[in-house]
Amino acid sequence: MAIAELVMPKLGESIMEATILKWYKNVGDLVKLDETVLDIATDKVDSEVPSTYEGIIKEILFNVNDIVPIGTVIARIELASAAATVAPNPAHAAPIVAPITAVAAPIAIPPAPVVEAPTIPTPIAPVVEMSAPPIPEVPYTPASPVIELMVKPASNRFYSPLVLNIANSEGVSLSELERIPGTGNDNRVSKRDILQYIVDKKAGRIPVYQPAPQQPVFTAPQPIPAVAAPIVMAPAPIITAPAPIAAAVVPEVMPIPTPIEPIVEVAMPPQIATPVAEIASAQVPAPAISAIPVTIPEPVNIPAAPTAPIMATVQTAPIYTAPTEIAPNPITPSAPLYTPPVTSLPVVNKAIIPSGIIPDPSAIILTGATEIVEMDRMRKLIAKHMVESKHTSPHVTSFAEADVTNMVLWREKIKKEFEQRESTKLTFTPIFIECIASVIKRFPYINCSLDGDKIILKKDINIGMATALPSGNLIVPVIKGADQMNIVGLSKAVNSLADAARNGRLKPEDTTGGTFTLTNVGSFGSLMGTPIINMPQVAIMAVGIIKKRPMVIETPEGDTIAIRHMMYLSLSYDHRIVDGSIGASFLSEVAKEFEKWDINKQWFHYL
């Protein structure tokens, strides 16, 4: 019996362990060569582990969520060559051999018909029942019970918007929907139930009585409109009756000037009341109207006498003068008029102000409620990796400023033609990477790693780009050989890796082998940042947002002020290897490379 060992594969130079997410095979299962056996995860990417052998899994050594070091045996497989010789022994082969011998016995018995013992027919009967069972026809019978509808419609049942949308698009009426048995919570109709019902309905497996569920009941109320017709006719005499009523009301409406008299009497002094009465007795409306504007200014010029009546007519103004008028005025009926508004003012204000916004600090109520959210696996690994980086590498960060006006204008000029010709978008990231890769060649200690006391200088320039995932986590796919590609190749590599990262299609090799990392904090609106080194690398650069600012620039004619596109750069580096002079010099050279970008740069010269 040949047994082979399946080990945890090596996923990168900086990856020392992986977490088992899922086993696709169990003990005793047959596995083929290169067939996926399990899923694993690292702090960089999730990936599948294929089988390196073909055979039967005999032993699984680790469970889900176990952290396994690289190179450790995780399962044992019995090779297919050995398994073929032992194949008759498993339990799966036993039932196959038994029926064959049983069928062979009755075939050998017919040559001896002389023996009429009852024992010969008896084995034949069970063999016939087992060899020719009508069971294959059974799958048709369960179809009808599954379509059984509810006898009584569920009128008060809740339906999700998705179910209602499917029913509406497929022409399923509400009466049909109420009779569908639901498998969800509280017998609710789920998406699977409504889709199964639609399939059965199209296949003709729905009972005949179902399409007409009590529809005659709805046609029966047709006599009701006939009864309602006389009711509608009745308003006709009612409409004619109000005509005399309106005529009777007209003379009553005419004496409306009567409410004007008490208003004038309240607002005017008694000396002016007599001419008003004389004007009313004369029954001349035109002079009365002309006399009112003449007499109004007199009471307005004498506010002392009618103080009490004014307070009675204007009840909203005392809200502000209440403290001064209540004290000298002993009238008891007016006192309660001011106190209720004072107590009810906060309630009125709260009703007007949006919910949750309170103007009174004393009205704030603290609940002390909290929510505990468990970190997912990737976030735990990222946190562990960042802590190790800060604990191991002494971080130093330098800053610089770059004028990227030429970059912005060049990209704006060619981006449409670039996308049409190359079928990929032109972003700033490949432009930045091209400049960084050219400067790294002049600063080899930026492109290295540290192994104990040994500095490992990397000849390949593999630049990683930090990419935010939809889950909120971070991953760093690596553009290998960045110095060997032009702007077209870099654009395709950047876009393909970013798309694979956001859709979970990155391979383990896509996140390994990085020698330098670029992170674009400006894509989220940040001016600058102090990034953490992605170990075992020794440096990482952050680029901020590009903003227009007035800048002093030197020209042959002298200094002048112009609007320029400016951006901040920051470089965090491991002070064990990279000193301030190297780090600051490298950052300054990158800024200069950004600034001297050729605005007439040709990107299609490779054609």
Side-chain angles (χ1 to χ4, degrees):
M1 180 183 299
I3 300 294
E5 294 180 340
L6 181 65
V7 301
M8 181 66 71
K10 182 176 176 61
L11 302 173
E13 59 178 342
S14 63
I15 300 176
M16 305 306 298
E17 60 187 16
T19 304
I20 297 178
L21 296 181
K22 180 181 180 180
W23 284 96
Y24 290 98
K25 299 292 182 179
N26 298 318
V27 175
D29 290 348
L30 178 65
V31 60
K32 298 180 180 179
L33 184 65
D34 293 331
E35 185 179 2
T36 301
V37 180
L38 73 159
D39 285 346
I40 61 173
T42 66
D43 58 342
K44 298 181 181 298
V45 70
D46 299 349
S47 60
E48 300 175 346
V49 176
S51 175
T52 52
Y53 305 96
E54 182 174 352
I56 298 174
I57 295 183
K58 305 299 292 184
E59 187 178 5
I60 293 178
L61 303 179
F62 293 95
N63 299 321
V64 175
N65 295 327
D66 287 349
I67 300 176
V68 183
I70 300 301
T72 305
V73 178
I74 55 178
R76 292 187 173 89
I77 301 175
E78 181 182 349
L79 297 183
S81 57
T85 59
V86 195
N89 292 336
H92 300 287
I96 299 173
V97 177
I100 293 172
T101 56
V103 174
I107 294 172
I109 290 170
V114 182
V115 182
E116 307 233 346
T119 55
I120 295 172
T122 50
I124 295 174
V127 170
V128 172
E129 292 177 3
M130 295 177 63
S131 59
I135 299 172
E137 299 179 359
V138 173
Y140 179 78
T141 53
S144 55
V146 173
I147 313 163
E148 235 178 79
L149 302 178
M150 298 173 60
V151 179
K152 184 179 180 181
S155 57
N156 295 327
R157 187 163 53 180
F158 171 79
Y159 301 101
S160 65
L162 177 60
V163 171
L164 293 176
N165 189 23
I166 295 175
N168 184 36
S169 60
E170 296 293 338
V172 178
S173 63
L174 183 60
S175 57
E176 292 181 77
L177 200 60
E178 291 176 350
R179 289 185 177 273
I180 299 176
T183 59
N185 189 20
D186 295 334
N187 295 325
R188 293 180 179 176
V189 178
S190 63
K191 176 184 176 182
R192 182 179 60 183
D193 299 332
I194 183 67
L195 292 178
Q196 182 63 39
Y197 175 82
I198 294 170
V199 172
D200 294 337
K201 182 178 180 181
K202 292 180 179 179
R205 295 194 293 266
I206 300 297
V208 180
Y209 65 87
Q210 200 282 335
Q214 305 294 336
Q215 285 187 358
V217 176
F218 296 98
T219 57
Q222 290 179 355
I224 295 174
V227 177
I231 297 173
V232 177
M233 298 287 293
I238 295 173
I239 293 171
T240 56
I245 294 172
V249 172
V250 172
E252 295 181 2
V253 175
M254 295 297 294
I256 289 177
T258 51
I260 299 175
E261 295 178 0
I263 294 174
V264 175
E265 291 176 0
V266 172
M268 295 181 179
Q271 297 90 345
I272 306 171
T274 52
V276 172
E278 293 175 0
I279 294 169
S281 62
Q283 297 182 357
V284 182
I289 294 171
S290 60
I292 290 174
V294 177
T295 56
I296 285 174
E298 296 183 12
V300 172
N301 295 330
I302 309 171
T307 48
I310 288 173
M311 290 177 60
T313 55
V314 185
Q315 298 180 1
T316 55
I319 293 177
Y320 306 98
T321 58
T324 58
E325 294 185 2
I326 289 174
N329 195 350
I331 302 175
T332 54
S334 61
L337 292 177
Y338 306 103
T339 52
V342 174
T343 56
S344 62
L345 268 176
V347 179
V348 175
N349 291 339
K350 288 181 182 179
I352 296 174
I353 294 175
S355 175
I357 309 298
I358 301 174
D360 186 6
S362 62
I364 294 176
I365 300 174
L366 300 178
T367 61
T370 59
E371 181 182 2
I372 299 176
V373 179
E374 183 72 19
M375 294 174 65
D376 58 12
R377 179 197 55 80
M378 181 173 285
R379 178 51 53 187
K380 291 178 182 178
L381 295 174
I382 292 174
K384 179 182 177 183
H385 188 64
M386 294 297 100
V387 170
E388 289 179 354
S389 179
K390 292 290 287 186
H391 177 75
T392 304
S393 301
H395 282 58
V396 178
T397 304
S398 298
F399 298 91
E401 188 178 26
D403 184 346
V404 293
T405 304
N406 289 350
M407 276 187 181
V408 174
L409 298 179
W410 179 80
R411 174 182 173 271
E412 197 66 28
K413 180 175 62 175
I414 71 159
K415 65 179 182 180
K416 291 183 180 179
E417 182 184 358
F418 187 94
E419 184 174 359
Q420 291 175 358
R421 185 188 291 267
E422 304 299 338
S423 300
T424 188
K425 292 184 177 181
L426 175 63
T427 63
F428 284 106
T429 301
I431 303 176
F432 296 154
I433 292 176
E434 181 176 331
C435 296
I436 293 172
S438 64
V439 178
I440 285 178
K441 293 180 179 180
R442 306 196 296 268
F443 293 85
Y445 278 85
I446 296 292
N447 198 60
C448 70
S449 63
L450 186 64
D451 183 13
D453 295 335
K454 297 182 178 63
I455 300 175
I456 304 173
L457 300 176
K458 306 294 181 66
K459 301 302 181 181
D460 295 326
I461 299 178
N462 305 329
I463 298 180
M465 57 173 189
T467 305
L469 300 178
S471 61
N473 292 321
L474 187 70
I475 198 167
V476 185
V478 178
I479 302 171
K480 296 181 171 65
D483 59 323
Q484 303 175 29
M485 288 184 282
N486 61 3
I487 195 67
V488 177
L490 290 173
S491 296
K492 293 180 178 180
V494 167
N495 294 335
S496 62
L497 287 175
D499 181 69
R502 296 187 183 98
N503 294 281
R505 291 186 282 102
L506 282 178
K507 301 175 183 178
E509 57 268 20
D510 293 336
T511 59
T512 58
T515 59
F516 185 87
T517 298
L518 170 68
T519 176
N520 189 350
V521 298
S523 60
F524 305 102
S526 180
L527 277 176
M528 63 182 71
T530 56
I532 298 177
I533 300 170
N534 185 19
M535 291 181 60
Q537 302 170 20
V538 298
I540 179 173
M541 176 176 287
V543 292
I545 188 174
I546 300 174
K547 296 183 73 69
K548 294 180 181 180
R549 293 205 304 272
M551 300 296 296
V552 177
I553 58 175
E554 297 179 357
T555 64
E557 291 78 16
D559 295 343
T560 183
I561 297 177
I563 303 299
R564 309 293 290 177
H565 293 81
M566 305 300 295
M567 182 178 67
Y568 289 109
L569 312 177
S570 58
L571 179 73
S572 295
Y573 45 92
D574 189 342
H575 213 335
R576 295 177 300 173
I577 302 174
V578 182
D579 292 331
S581 59
I582 298 177
S585 299
F586 172 80
L587 186 62
S588 299
E589 289 298 317
V590 172
K592 292 178 182 177
E593 197 75 18
F594 285 4
E595 291 178 345
K596 68 180 183 180
W597 184 268
D598 186 5
I599 196 171
N600 298 315
K601 182 182 179 66
Q602 299 297 323
W603 55 273
F604 50 87
H605 56 81
Y606 62 92
L607 295 177

